[in-house]
Amino acid sequence: MNSLPDIQSLSLAQQVAQMVVVRASGYLFDHQIQYPAWEPPAARLQHWIQDWGVGGVILLGASAGELALRSQQLQEYAQIPLLIAADIEEGVGQRFAGATWFAPPMAIGAIARQDLQKAQNYAKQKGAITAQEALAIGINWILAPVVDVNNNPQNPVINVRAYGETPEIVSQLACQFIRGTQDYPVLTTAKHFPGHGDTAIDSHLDLPILSHSRSRMAQVEFPPFQAAMAAGVDAVMTAHLLIPSLDDHYPATLSQKVLTQVLRQELGFEGLIVTDALIMGAITNRYGATEAPVKAVEAGADILLMPVNPETAIQAVCDAVAAGRISRDRILASVERIWQAKAKISQGTQVSGSRSDQAQPLSFLGHLAQPTAIDTVTNILRDSQQVGGSLPLRSKLLPNSRQGRNLIIVDDILTCDVLGRNAPAVTLPQQFGYQLQWVDCHTPPMLRDHNERPIPTLLQLFIRGNPFRSTASLTAVAADWLQRLLTDQVLEALVIYGSPYTLEQFLPDLPAQTPYVYSYGQMPEAQAIALEVLFDQIECDYSLTEFI
C-alpha cells in the first residue's frame, strides 16, 4: 500500500477528490454488474481512481473471495491508499457470500431485554468478527453500527437494523460493537445523525420530516451518538432528514447548523463526517448533482458518499472554492481528518493485519466463517428466537406424502438472496409432506385468489423493512393469506423471518394452540434453526454448518 503524500503537495482538485467515495460492484467483470445506474464499468472506475484520485470506494455484491481480489485490484489503481467501505451492519456475509452473516442488530437488542450482559458480549464478539473478516478481504471501513433508536414500528428503512427502541439499549450495544473492532485497524461509523429511527418515509425515495423538539432530540436521538463518540467511533454518517427544530430549511446532510454547530461544536465530534449516499432521492430530487456536494461541504461534511457524478461533484466543489463559497482551509481540515483515518488503517494489510500474510494469496480463507463465528451466529439466533403454540408441530401428514403446502411469501423471489433450491425453508418441510408454493410481488392476483380445496399449510413469511420498497403491500398479502388459512382451518404452523412488528400484528389472530416461530434472521442459518424447533430437531438431519 502506498504511503500518504504531504497534503500541501496536492492540488485543490486532488484534495477535493480525496473527499469523494464512489460506489462500485464487488464483482470483477463488467457483465456481472447488477446495478448499472450506480456501479460504473471497470474502465470508468479505474479512471476515477487513477486520474481523478477519488479517496475511496464503497462495494456491494460478489463473494468474499472475489472481494479480496477486487479490493486488491482497486488499491493497485490508486496513487494514494483508498478507503474501501461496505455496509456490513450484519457482518461481512450480509454483503459478500461465504463470510459470516449475523442476525440483524435488533436480535441482540431482544436478548438485552432478558440478559444485558450476554447481549453486550454478543455485540462485542460481532464487532471483532466483522472487523477481522473485513480486513481479510480488503475492507477497511465498516459502515456500522447503526445507532438510530427505532421507536417507530412503521419505519421502512431502519427497522431491525437498529439495536432497539430505547437510547439506553442502543447506546450500550453499539458501543460494545465498536469496542469489539478496536483490536483491528478498521474504521467504524455511527449512523444516521441526528437520528433516523422515528421516520415513516424511506429517505432513499423522499425526504422525511421530523417534528421533534430540540429537547426531545437531546433526550432520545443524540445519546447513542454521544456514547459512540465516547467509545471512539471513527466516523458519523449523516441522515437525509429535515428537522425544523434544528434547521427549518436544509436537511441534516446539507445543514451547517446540524453538522457544524451541533455535531462538531456542541457534541464535540472530531472524526470524519460522511454523508449518506448523495444519490438518494431525498437529496437528488431537490438539490441535484452539483449543488448537493457543495452544500454538504459547506455544512461540514468531510466525505461525499456516492455523488451522482464524481467528476461533476469534484469540479463543483473546486468552483465553489474559486468563487469564495468554500475556503481552502475548510477543504484542508477535511483532508487532514481523512489522512488521520487513512494513517490508522494503513497499519493493516488486505489479508488479516499481519504483514507476513502478504505473500500468501489465499490466507484470507483462514479468517472467514470460522467455528467461533458460526457458534456466535447460532447462539444469537437461538437466544433471540420467539416461539409459541403447541410445539413441536405434530402434523397429520405422512412424511414425504406431498399432501401439504409449504407456502412461502416473500417480497421478490428474483432478488431474494436468502432463498434458493437448497434453502432450509424449501427443503426441510419436504421431509414432512409439505410441497413448495411461492407468493411474491410477481404472483398474479388471480393465483392468490384461486378457489381451491383446503390444503394443510405451513405458512412462512419473509418480511422486514428494506430500503426502496415498503413492506405494506407484502404485509397485506400475508394478512390475506393468514385469514384465509385460518377461516379454512388449514393453518398448521406459522414461521416469520424478519420484522418483529409483523409478529405483533399477526399474533392476536393466531389460535393459542397453533405453533409459531419467529426469527430476526432470514438467512439459511435462521431458517434451519427455526424449522428445527418447529419440527423437533431430533427428526431433522441438517447441520447448520451447511448453510454458513
mmCIF file of all heavy atoms in Angstrom, residues 7 10 14-16 18-19 302 330-340:
data_model
loop_
_atom_site.group_PDB
_atom_site.id
_atom_site.type_symbol
_atom_site.label_atom_id
_atom_site.label_comp_id
_atom_site.label_asym_id
_atom_site.label_seq_id
_atom_site.Cartn_x
_atom_site.Cartn_y
_atom_site.Cartn_z
ATOM 1 N N ILE A 7 -0.124 16.672 2.267
ATOM 2 C CA ILE A 7 -1.378 17.247 1.777
ATOM 3 C C ILE A 7 -1.119 18.497 0.941
ATOM 4 O O ILE A 7 -1.768 18.730 -0.082
ATOM 5 C CB ILE A 7 -2.317 17.584 2.960
ATOM 6 C CG1 ILE A 7 -2.732 16.303 3.687
ATOM 7 C CG2 ILE A 7 -3.561 18.326 2.465
ATOM 8 C CD1 ILE A 7 -3.545 16.542 4.938
ATOM 9 N N LEU A 10 -0.655 18.369 -2.860
ATOM 10 C CA LEU A 10 -1.786 18.053 -3.729
ATOM 11 C C LEU A 10 -2.445 19.332 -4.234
ATOM 12 O O LEU A 10 -2.538 20.333 -3.511
ATOM 13 C CB LEU A 10 -2.829 17.223 -2.968
ATOM 14 C CG LEU A 10 -2.359 15.901 -2.356
ATOM 15 C CD1 LEU A 10 -3.521 15.239 -1.624
ATOM 16 C CD2 LEU A 10 -1.789 14.968 -3.414
ATOM 17 N N GLN A 14 -7.154 17.574 -6.415
ATOM 18 C CA GLN A 14 -6.724 16.318 -5.806
ATOM 19 C C GLN A 14 -7.186 16.237 -4.354
ATOM 20 O O GLN A 14 -7.570 15.165 -3.876
ATOM 21 C CB GLN A 14 -5.204 16.190 -5.895
ATOM 22 C CG GLN A 14 -4.687 15.925 -7.298
ATOM 23 C CD GLN A 14 -3.171 15.973 -7.373
ATOM 24 O OE1 GLN A 14 -2.527 16.803 -6.730
ATOM 25 N NE2 GLN A 14 -2.590 15.062 -8.160
ATOM 26 N N GLN A 15 -7.143 17.357 -3.652
ATOM 27 C CA GLN A 15 -7.623 17.375 -2.271
ATOM 28 C C GLN A 15 -9.126 17.094 -2.218
ATOM 29 O O GLN A 15 -9.589 16.275 -1.411
ATOM 30 C CB GLN A 15 -7.305 18.725 -1.623
ATOM 31 C CG GLN A 15 -5.818 18.968 -1.394
ATOM 32 C CD GLN A 15 -5.537 20.386 -0.925
ATOM 33 O OE1 GLN A 15 -6.444 21.216 -0.830
ATOM 34 N NE2 GLN A 15 -4.277 20.664 -0.614
ATOM 35 N N VAL A 16 -9.868 17.756 -3.066
ATOM 36 C CA VAL A 16 -11.320 17.555 -3.078
ATOM 37 C C VAL A 16 -11.659 16.119 -3.477
ATOM 38 O O VAL A 16 -12.573 15.495 -2.915
ATOM 39 C CB VAL A 16 -12.003 18.567 -4.023
ATOM 40 C CG1 VAL A 16 -13.493 18.253 -4.167
ATOM 41 C CG2 VAL A 16 -11.800 19.991 -3.519
ATOM 42 N N GLN A 18 -10.103 13.497 -2.778
ATOM 43 C CA GLN A 18 -9.934 12.622 -1.624
ATOM 44 C C GLN A 18 -11.170 12.613 -0.733
ATOM 45 O O GLN A 18 -11.356 11.704 0.076
ATOM 46 C CB GLN A 18 -8.703 13.040 -0.825
ATOM 47 C CG GLN A 18 -7.387 12.611 -1.445
ATOM 48 C CD GLN A 18 -7.236 11.096 -1.456
ATOM 49 O OE1 GLN A 18 -7.320 10.447 -0.415
ATOM 50 N NE2 GLN A 18 -7.031 10.528 -2.645
ATOM 51 N N MET A 19 -12.020 13.589 -0.887
ATOM 52 C CA MET A 19 -13.255 13.667 -0.104
ATOM 53 C C MET A 19 -14.397 12.882 -0.739
ATOM 54 O O MET A 19 -15.498 12.824 -0.169
ATOM 55 C CB MET A 19 -13.666 15.140 0.055
ATOM 56 C CG MET A 19 -12.644 15.999 0.771
ATOM 57 S SD MET A 19 -13.042 17.780 0.717
ATOM 58 C CE MET A 19 -14.559 17.842 1.657
ATOM 59 N N ASP A 302 -16.983 15.825 5.587
ATOM 60 C CA ASP A 302 -15.626 15.529 5.132
ATOM 61 C C ASP A 302 -15.611 14.579 3.947
ATOM 62 O O ASP A 302 -14.707 14.626 3.114
ATOM 63 C CB ASP A 302 -14.821 14.886 6.269
ATOM 64 C CG ASP A 302 -14.744 15.766 7.496
ATOM 65 O OD1 ASP A 302 -14.305 16.918 7.361
ATOM 66 O OD2 ASP A 302 -15.142 15.297 8.587
ATOM 67 N N ARG A 330 -11.190 25.136 4.805
ATOM 68 C CA ARG A 330 -12.274 24.160 5.029
ATOM 69 C C ARG A 330 -11.942 22.833 4.343
ATOM 70 O O ARG A 330 -12.140 21.761 4.914
ATOM 71 C CB ARG A 330 -13.583 24.752 4.479
ATOM 72 C CG ARG A 330 -14.753 23.789 4.424
ATOM 73 C CD ARG A 330 -15.241 23.433 5.844
ATOM 74 N NE ARG A 330 -16.147 22.292 5.756
ATOM 75 C CZ ARG A 330 -15.755 21.042 5.675
ATOM 76 N NH1 ARG A 330 -14.468 20.729 5.689
ATOM 77 N NH2 ARG A 330 -16.641 20.081 5.597
ATOM 78 N N ILE A 331 -11.428 22.878 3.131
ATOM 79 C CA ILE A 331 -11.037 21.657 2.414
ATOM 80 C C ILE A 331 -9.869 20.980 3.131
ATOM 81 O O ILE A 331 -9.877 19.749 3.347
ATOM 82 C CB ILE A 331 -10.645 21.987 0.955
ATOM 83 C CG1 ILE A 331 -11.818 22.643 0.221
ATOM 84 C CG2 ILE A 331 -10.176 20.720 0.236
ATOM 85 C CD1 ILE A 331 -13.058 21.805 0.109
ATOM 86 N N LEU A 332 -8.876 21.759 3.527
ATOM 87 C CA LEU A 332 -7.700 21.196 4.210
ATOM 88 C C LEU A 332 -8.092 20.504 5.510
ATOM 89 O O LEU A 332 -7.546 19.444 5.848
ATOM 90 C CB LEU A 332 -6.671 22.291 4.484
ATOM 91 C CG LEU A 332 -5.871 22.784 3.280
ATOM 92 C CD1 LEU A 332 -5.037 24.000 3.650
ATOM 93 C CD2 LEU A 332 -4.971 21.664 2.739
ATOM 94 N N ALA A 333 -9.040 21.072 6.241
ATOM 95 C CA ALA A 333 -9.471 20.462 7.507
ATOM 96 C C ALA A 333 -10.048 19.071 7.261
ATOM 97 O O ALA A 333 -9.770 18.119 8.011
ATOM 98 C CB ALA A 333 -10.510 21.349 8.193
ATOM 99 N N SER A 334 -10.843 18.922 6.196
ATOM 100 C CA SER A 334 -11.415 17.606 5.878
ATOM 101 C C SER A 334 -10.339 16.624 5.450
ATOM 102 O O SER A 334 -10.328 15.458 5.876
ATOM 103 C CB SER A 334 -12.477 17.744 4.774
ATOM 104 O OG SER A 334 -13.656 18.324 5.273
ATOM 105 N N VAL A 335 -9.423 17.074 4.590
ATOM 106 C CA VAL A 335 -8.385 16.161 4.110
ATOM 107 C C VAL A 335 -7.473 15.741 5.260
ATOM 108 O O VAL A 335 -7.018 14.586 5.315
ATOM 109 C CB VAL A 335 -7.585 16.806 2.961
ATOM 110 C CG1 VAL A 335 -6.493 15.849 2.468
ATOM 111 C CG2 VAL A 335 -8.506 17.181 1.812
ATOM 112 N N GLU A 336 -7.225 16.628 6.208
ATOM 113 C CA GLU A 336 -6.412 16.245 7.369
ATOM 114 C C GLU A 336 -7.110 15.151 8.175
ATOM 115 O O GLU A 336 -6.459 14.206 8.654
ATOM 116 C CB GLU A 336 -6.147 17.470 8.240
ATOM 117 C CG GLU A 336 -5.110 18.418 7.631
ATOM 118 C CD GLU A 336 -5.008 19.737 8.378
ATOM 119 O OE1 GLU A 336 -5.801 19.936 9.338
ATOM 120 O OE2 GLU A 336 -4.165 20.569 8.006
ATOM 121 N N ARG A 337 -8.430 15.242 8.326
ATOM 122 C CA ARG A 337 -9.152 14.172 9.032
ATOM 123 C C ARG A 337 -9.092 12.871 8.238
ATOM 124 O O ARG A 337 -8.960 11.781 8.804
ATOM 125 C CB ARG A 337 -10.611 14.585 9.268
ATOM 126 C CG ARG A 337 -10.781 15.746 10.231
ATOM 127 C CD ARG A 337 -12.257 15.979 10.554
ATOM 128 N NE ARG A 337 -12.440 17.237 11.265
ATOM 129 C CZ ARG A 337 -12.825 18.375 10.706
ATOM 130 N NH1 ARG A 337 -13.124 18.400 9.397
ATOM 131 N NH2 ARG A 337 -12.957 19.459 11.420
ATOM 132 N N ILE A 338 -9.195 12.980 6.931
ATOM 133 C CA ILE A 338 -9.112 11.789 6.080
ATOM 134 C C ILE A 338 -7.727 11.168 6.210
ATOM 135 O O ILE A 338 -7.587 9.938 6.290
ATOM 136 C CB ILE A 338 -9.428 12.157 4.618
ATOM 137 C CG1 ILE A 338 -10.901 12.568 4.483
ATOM 138 C CG2 ILE A 338 -9.118 10.989 3.683
ATOM 139 C CD1 ILE A 338 -11.241 13.240 3.172
ATOM 140 N N TRP A 339 -6.696 11.990 6.256
ATOM 141 C CA TRP A 339 -5.337 11.473 6.412
ATOM 142 C C TRP A 339 -5.165 10.755 7.755
ATOM 143 O O TRP A 339 -4.504 9.723 7.832
ATOM 144 C CB TRP A 339 -4.330 12.628 6.284
ATOM 145 C CG TRP A 339 -3.572 12.648 4.995
ATOM 146 C CD1 TRP A 339 -2.218 12.770 4.845
ATOM 147 C CD2 TRP A 339 -4.096 12.565 3.665
ATOM 148 N NE1 TRP A 339 -1.869 12.768 3.514
ATOM 149 C CE2 TRP A 339 -3.008 12.645 2.769
ATOM 150 C CE3 TRP A 339 -5.378 12.425 3.141
ATOM 151 C CZ2 TRP A 339 -3.163 12.586 1.382
ATOM 152 C CZ3 TRP A 339 -5.548 12.373 1.767
ATOM 153 C CH2 TRP A 339 -4.456 12.445 0.907
ATOM 154 N N GLN A 340 -5.762 11.287 8.808
ATOM 155 C CA GLN A 340 -5.699 10.620 10.111
ATOM 156 C C GLN A 340 -6.355 9.244 10.039
ATOM 157 O O GLN A 340 -5.847 8.259 10.584
ATOM 158 C CB GLN A 340 -6.369 11.485 11.178
ATOM 159 C CG GLN A 340 -5.612 12.766 11.507
ATOM 160 C CD GLN A 340 -6.397 13.690 12.424
ATOM 161 O OE1 GLN A 340 -7.520 13.374 12.842
ATOM 162 N NE2 GLN A 340 -5.833 14.848 12.734
#
